[in-house]
Structure formats: structure tokens, C-alpha cells
Amino acid sequence: MHDHKTVHAAITEWGEAFCNKQLDRLMALYAPDAVVFDAIPPFSSGIEAMRAKVAACFPHFPDGCAIETRDLTVNIGAEMAVAHFLWHFVDLPANHPAGRHWLRSSIVWRAHANGGWLIVHDHCSAPFDPYTEKVVLHPETVDVEAAASNCGGHDPVG
């Protein structure tokens, strides 16, 4: 049976595996043909490239950090599940670079015969201001009214 609880459990499993530096546990959540759009270049990669990137990141994280999520939305079909949410690392040393910003993620799972899910698409990114080319670090710092008017009469991409 596929329900919201299994998707929530899969998100929790991802965070716990990363924060506890359990690379094999983390990678077991992905289908072999999964596509990854990560916040850290390259723009797109497969599972082996992701494995290498995550392994290279682990030494820069303390043991046992955690992930806080918010605004989680889950949609489940018979064969696919989709979630999108904001998240950031917590329980890091003061001023640790990974704790300075929020990220946004969209994850797509394909139903697995054992009743679980395998990730087939993982997209993680940080929003940016096209005029300053700076990353927006915290959702609370976004001036929604100014952002909505930014494109009025201006071309932010060219």
C-alpha cells in the first residue's frame, strides 16, 4: 500500500542517511536510472556522479546533523509519487556554510514491488535574484511584492 506515510518515511530516510554519512543507505533510495539536478554543479548527473559528489561532501559535515523541512506537499498516484518542499540543515556548528541557507526540492518516486519507493528524479536548487545574481538564503527575506513587480517592464534574463 502506497500512502503519504511511506513518502514521508522516504524523505526522513534520505535525511537520516545523509546526516549520518551512510552513503550506501542513501544511494539505496535511488533507482539505477535516476536523474539528479543538484544545487551543486554539475547541473545534471546520474547516480554514480551523485555518489562521488556526496562522498566528497561528507568529510565537511559533522557527525549527526539534521534536516528541517517545511511546506511539504505530497501527491501520490498508483505508480508515482511527487513531493516538493523547502529544507535546510540544522544542528551544525555555528557559521557552518551548509546551515546558512534554505533549499527547495522536488522529488519523484516510482513505486517498488516491495511496497516502498525508489527516487527516479531529484531536483534540489536555491532560488536567486536575477538582478543581483545572488542566492536568496531565507524564504522570509523575499519581498513578494517587489519580486512580483521585478519583471514588469524589465527582462531579468537578457
Side-chain angles (χ1 to χ4, degrees), residues 57-130:
C57 286
F58 278 170
H60 302 284
F61 280 82
D63 293 333
C65 63
I67 291 176
E68 175 187 352
T69 62
R70 69 184 234 195
D71 302 335
L72 174 63
T73 300
V74 176
N75 292 293
I76 299 176
E79 298 296 322
M80 306 290 271
V82 178
H84 56 85
F85 52 97
L86 302 177
W87 65 277
H88 71 133
F89 290 103
V90 294
D91 299 336
L92 293 168
N95 298 317
H96 190 284
R100 293 189 305 218
H101 59 276
W102 284 80
L103 296 165
R104 55 191 178 184
S105 282
S106 298
I107 301 176
V108 179
W109 290 269
R110 183 171 46 227
H112 191 273
N114 71 2
W117 300 94
L118 288 177
I119 297 170
V120 294
H121 184 88
D122 181 345
H123 185 142
C124 175
S125 63
F128 76 101
D129 181 326

Side-chain angles (χ1 to χ4, degrees), residues 11-99:
I11 293 169
T12 299
E13 177 76 7
W14 189 99
E16 289 176 359
F18 188 97
C19 289
N20 290 300
K21 301 180 184 180
Q22 297 172 324
L23 187 57
D24 289 337
R25 178 181 171 196
L26 178 70
M27 299 312 298
L29 300 171
Y30 288 82
D33 60 343
V35 174
V36 179
F37 294 122
D38 194 15
I40 299 171
F43 286 112
S44 175
S45 67
I47 294 308
E48 291 310 313
M50 180 187 168
R51 175 184 283 279
K53 185 189 314 183
V54 171
C57 286
F58 278 170
H60 302 284
F61 280 82
D63 293 333
C65 63
I67 291 176
E68 175 187 352
T69 62
R70 69 184 234 195
D71 302 335
L72 174 63
T73 300
V74 176
N75 292 293
I76 299 176
E79 298 296 322
M80 306 290 271
V82 178
H84 56 85
F85 52 97
L86 302 177
W87 65 277
H88 71 133
F89 290 103
V90 294
D91 299 336
L92 293 168
N95 298 317
H96 190 284

